[in-house]
Amino acid sequence: MSKFLKLLSFIYLTLITIAFLIPLNSPIITILVEKQKQPSNEISFFFHLTLLFLLYLFLYISFSKKNIILLFCIFYSVLIEILQLFTSRGFQFYDIIFNLIGVLISFILLSHYYNKKK
């Protein structure tokens, strides 16, 4: 089961990385979602929060080195936005903030859950 969870975590990480780096005006995106129907900043902030919340959750469940997982997710939150500068997605400081909020909420909830369980 552990190998399966690790594989799922890597697949999820790969998929969200691709999703974060595909330019919004690429044919793949415009075929799926018309430009007028693309999410507003407020909605995209919620997506960032949710996607990074889930990333931390999946990695936490799949791997044993919890401190490294937290550091990785914090680093990833910043790195993915910096990489968007090179993919014509554009850098948004608020995306980093909402990425980090998602990681921190997941961290707090999991810490609280596992501390109560002990």
Side-chain angles (χ1 to χ4, degrees), residues 18-82:
I18 291 167
F20 280 141
L21 295 178
I22 292 177
L24 293 175
N25 61 356
S26 74
I28 294 169
I29 300 297
T30 55
I31 288 171
L32 296 173
V33 180
E34 296 175 26
K35 187 149 181 90
Q36 303 87 336
K37 293 184 180 178
Q38 289 183 359
S40 65
N41 270 346
E42 293 80 19
I43 300 296
S44 74
F45 294 151
F46 176 74
F47 287 147
H48 280 262
L49 187 146
T50 304
L51 291 174
L52 271 291
F53 174 90
L54 292 173
L55 176 64
Y56 183 79
L57 177 70
F58 292 153
L59 292 175
Y60 187 94
I61 292 169
S62 302
F63 295 94
S64 60
K65 298 189 181 204
K66 308 307 182 197
N67 293 335
I68 292 175
I69 292 166
L70 180 62
L71 290 174
F72 171 78
C73 287
I74 291 169
F75 176 75
Y76 179 82
S77 296
V78 175
L79 179 65
I80 202 70
E81 278 306 307
I82 292 170

Side-chain angles (χ1 to χ4, degrees), residues 57-115:
L57 177 70
F58 292 153
L59 292 175
Y60 187 94
I61 292 169
S62 302
F63 295 94
S64 60
K65 298 189 181 204
K66 308 307 182 197
N67 293 335
I68 292 175
I69 292 166
L70 180 62
L71 290 174
F72 171 78
C73 287
I74 291 169
F75 176 75
Y76 179 82
S77 296
V78 175
L79 179 65
I80 202 70
E81 278 306 307
I82 292 170
L83 290 176
Q84 285 182 0
L85 287 169
F86 305 103
T87 64
S88 75
R89 284 280 298 245
F91 176 90
Q92 285 193 328
F93 182 73
Y94 286 115
D95 285 350
I96 294 173
I97 298 298
F98 281 88
N99 288 348
L100 292 173
I101 290 170
V103 170
L104 291 176
I105 291 171
S106 188
F107 170 78
I108 290 167
L109 290 176
L110 286 167
S111 295
H112 182 69
Y113 174 76
Y114 284 105
N115 283 339

